[in-house]
Amino acid sequence: MMIPTALLRLALRQLFGWHRLGLLLFLCALSALPVVVVAVTLASAQFDPDLRQEFMSEEFRATFLKVLFDFFLSPLLYPAIALLLTATILREEIQNETIIYLWTKPLARGAIVISKYVVAVLGALVFCGLSFLIMGSILINDINFIGKLLLTVVLALLAYGAFFLALSTFFDRALLWGFAYVLGWEESFSRISSAASQLSIRHYAENLEATLLGLSTDVSLGASVAVLLGLAIVFVGVASWRFSRMEFASSQGE
Amino acid sequence: MSVIEVERVTKRYGEVVAVSDVSFELGPGVTGLLGPNGAGKTTLLKMMAGLLGPTSGRVSLFGQSLRRVPQLYRRMGYCPESERLYEYMTGGEFLVFSAQLQLLSDPENEARKALELVNLVPERDKKIRAYSRGMRQRLKVAQSLLHDPEVLLLDEPLKGADPTQRRILIDLIRALGQRGKTIVVSSHVLYEVERMASQIILIHRGRLLAFGDFRAIRESMDDRPHRVSLRVSDPKRLAALLTEKALVRGVSLSGDEIVADVSEPDVFYGQLPSVALEAGVRLTQLVSLDEDLESVFRYLVQ
């Protein structure tokens, strides 16, 4: 399946053009948030001798980074960034009815879906990855540790992005459904039900992170990677399948 | 082989039947798709464009289904009714982008030629969000024909265009039809369709009312009298003689004008000179009042 570069450029412009300045600024603010948190924490440590002492230790800094990653970045911030980009890129084009100009071109509909997915996930990776790299390098010098967490981010974003894209082919309010999944299913329900937790992207991302860091887990490294990549492939497939069966029935009169 | 084949096509939305058991075949030339608002024109056109699948029946382009073979879009151009466009692009960028998706070898050049065709070159670098309704229409038409397709489906292409722009578009569509393109133009403005198309598809409440040359359709409607206006030197005398010879179903007089309801136009036109001679009146004007598309439309929809 060939994906014309014009499609990729269109997706890029749709997401990051000047007309989306508001969203861009919001994403910048979101991704800068952890960096600001780290900077403020380090600055405040200068006024607290005990805290300053603790921050002198590389181990404490690594633990601080991991806690931030485990309780804020990985479960909330990064899925939210992925959601804002992947759930809107295709849905917006359907709602704006500009999708007609893609559907009436000699293109496989799967190519349209993949072009949107690639650009949106790359966008999410740039926002999340850059933010994490800056934050990580402020805190620690262990590039190996940062790299392992970054790999977790990449694979999790691939799966989240595909899932949210697939949602957007089913629901007008994909953003709402996406937030419901992240906050309702992953953040609440999965926490109280181990069976439910196995049906979440977060479960495999957490296990991947743990195995990469050499901690004990109930899912092997290979299985975590395979599940996250598999979910990405399956959900992009579902999105393509759904998109290829979509009809254009606008509200316009006859 | 027909270019477009529509075979017993029905489209339902739940309980609502938008198009019901419609069949026709189209070849080169301009065909007007006519019907009042809500008749099913846009649904039918969208099915022909592969944007909607029929609930039952079959729509094919060159014998194949557009929904299964997207490569057919190289041979087809579609101008939607929707005015939504990529607002953040300029008109020129939009056409270059469309040409790139059509995989044309020189997108810039093809975009320029399409802009020239619809007289939109001065607006090339303007953002689409600043375009007037008429400019948007012309831009949509330009994107539908920039890859020189064999088939053009145009949904209300003249909507919102001013009289000059309408003339430009009508001349363009007519010229393309004369060049052997298969063109379907949907509209509910009859006189515009009459200027472009020789053939019509008339639908009402989702059903096909008539299909073919609209003059032939009119002639085949024997149960409807043809109305003819005559200006003569002595209208009362001629009216009496026409009635006496049963050449008319009825007449009305207004000054020197007679409006006659004629059942058999061929017989009427054949005998009128001799009847006028016999009556000793001078015939100064003879106009058929309802051989236009509007009459056909009005009669059929009634």
Side-chain angles (χ1 to χ4, degrees), chain A residues 2 4-7 9-11 13-15 17-19 92-109 116 244-254, chain B residues 11 13 36-43 46 49-53 67 70-71 73-74 78 80-86 88-89 93-94 97-98 100-103 127 129 140 143 159:
Chain A
M2 196 184 69
T5 51
L7 263 187
R9 282 202 304 273
L10 172 76
R13 204 167 164 187
Q14 261 184 303
L15 276 188
W18 285 109
H19 63 288
E92 200 173 81
E93 189 133 31
I94 295 166
Q95 281 169 345
N96 287 347
E97 300 182 4
T98 48
I99 200 73
I100 309 173
Y101 299 105
L102 303 184
W103 279 352
T104 53
K105 298 292 182 294
L107 302 167
R109 290 198 182 180
K116 305 285 187 198
S244 65
R245 274 152 187 78
M246 269 187 178
E247 295 197 333
F248 184 80
S250 74
S251 54
Q252 302 250 346
E254 293 288 348
Chain B
K11 180 70 183 176
Y13 296 103
N37 285 335
K41 300 190 298 290
T42 296
T43 302
K46 280 179 184 166
L51 294 171
L52 286 176
R67 285 179 72 78
Q71 284 70 27
Y73 285 111
R74 283 189 215 282
Y78 175 66
E81 186 188 14
S82 165
E83 285 179 23
R84 304 283 192 85
L85 288 154
Y86 293 101
Y88 51 87
M89 290 187 189
E93 283 172 345
F94 175 58
F97 162 70
S98 299
Q100 286 167 338
L101 292 185
Q102 284 289 355
L103 306 176
K127 293 277 185 200
R129 75 169 75 93
K140 287 190 300 179
Q143 72 79 32
K159 200 167 140 187

Side-chain angles (χ1 to χ4, degrees), chain B residues 182-195:
Chain B
T182 302
I183 304 174
V184 182
V185 188
S186 127
S187 177
H188 57 269
V189 183
L190 303 175
Y191 77 93
E192 289 172 348
V193 173
E194 198 169 0
R195 288 173 63 192

Side-chain angles (χ1 to χ4, degrees), chain B residues 15-90:
Chain B
E15 293 295 303
V16 179
V17 181
V19 173
S20 176
D21 199 23
V22 169
S23 298
F24 55 82
E25 292 182 7
L26 298 177
V30 183
T31 302
L33 177 57
L34 284 165
N37 285 335
K41 300 190 298 290
T42 296
T43 302
L44 191 55
L45 213 57
K46 280 179 184 166
M47 285 194 282
M48 284 191 254
L51 294 171
L52 286 176
T55 308
S56 64
R58 182 171 163 268
V59 181
S60 62
L61 186 75
F62 299 108
Q64 292 174 292
S65 163
L66 266 167
R67 285 179 72 78
R68 292 203 189 96
V69 190
Q71 284 70 27
L72 282 172
Y73 285 111
R74 283 189 215 282
R75 304 172 74 180
M76 194 272 268
Y78 175 66
C79 169
E81 186 188 14
S82 165
E83 285 179 23
R84 304 283 192 85
L85 288 154
Y86 293 101
E87 304 289 326
Y88 51 87
M89 290 187 189
T90 66

Side-chain angles (χ1 to χ4, degrees), chain A residues 17 19 59 97 129 208 211 214 234 238-240 249:
Chain A
H19 63 288
E59 194 186 336
E97 300 182 4
L208 172 65
T211 47
V234 166
V238 168
S240 300

